[in-house]
Amino acid sequence: MPFFSSHLKFIICDIKNIGSDLQFLYSGLQKDFTDFLFLKRLRNNFNRFNDLRKYFFKKYVYTINHKRIALNYFYFSMCSGLSGAILATMIRLELAYPGSTFFKGDSLRYLQVITAHGLIMVFFVAVPIFFGGFANFFIPYHIGSKDVAFPRLNSIGFWIQPCG
């Protein structure tokens, strides 16, 4: 039994030492976090990001200003135009080098890309620029009003455009 009692004493002393080590560590952490400099910076950065997020959503997503909606149409048309330009580049590469890596001789995929390119360029680039962008930007000034008749309907009309 003396063997177990000596080991038990050692374990109890070790537990006491661990407790004192944890208390020392906690006091050190408490001393380090009294100024909360890191946490203050983190909170300030988070608040700044949250304010920018609210600003972005209020300015671009929930807008009822016809000029901002017209710019949204232009931005959307630019992004769609880039995807249409990528498709056009693929078509031109296939025409320049038949059997290229994009289509691997598959004529059906080539026809699908041509069709997708045409639909994107007409319905997601040309129509939004002319009927969405220019109309929202210039028609209210042309008829002498400060804004469009139904601004929220105008805004939802833009946001359902990508779903079309």
Side-chain angles (χ1 to χ4, degrees), residues 30-155:
Q30 190 177 16
K31 185 180 73 171
D32 287 343
F33 286 120
T34 53
D35 57 6
F36 290 109
L37 184 62
F38 173 72
L39 293 177
K40 284 181 184 178
R41 287 180 186 164
L42 187 66
R43 188 180 310 123
N44 287 340
N45 288 334
F46 180 74
N47 288 339
R48 186 178 305 132
F49 173 74
N50 199 21
D51 292 341
L52 287 173
R53 182 186 59 85
K54 287 179 185 177
Y55 172 76
F56 174 79
F57 276 106
K58 187 172 182 174
K59 187 172 182 179
Y60 290 100
V61 177
Y62 300 127
T63 185
I64 56 173
N65 184 0
H66 67 97
K67 294 180 290 292
R68 179 65 58 200
I69 294 171
L71 290 176
N72 284 346
Y73 272 111
F74 286 130
Y75 297 148
F76 174 73
S77 294
M78 272 195 293
C79 293
S80 298
L82 287 174
S83 66
I86 290 170
L87 292 174
T89 304
M90 290 171 61
I91 294 167
R92 289 175 187 216
L93 281 174
E94 178 65 26
L95 289 174
Y97 306 104
S100 67
T101 58
F102 293 115
F103 303 111
K104 297 182 178 122
D106 188 9
S107 62
L108 184 61
R109 181 156 303 157
Y110 176 73
L111 293 174
Q112 288 173 347
V113 168
I114 287 178
T115 305
H117 167 73
L119 289 173
I120 285 173
M121 294 308 274
V122 170
F123 293 112
F124 293 115
V125 178
V127 171
I129 283 176
F130 292 123
F131 295 112
F134 288 128
N136 273 316
F137 210 83
F138 292 123
I139 286 179
Y141 293 126
H142 184 70
I143 62 174
S145 70
K146 289 187 175 187
D147 203 358
V148 293
F150 301 105
R152 283 186 172 74
L153 187 64
N154 189 16
S155 181

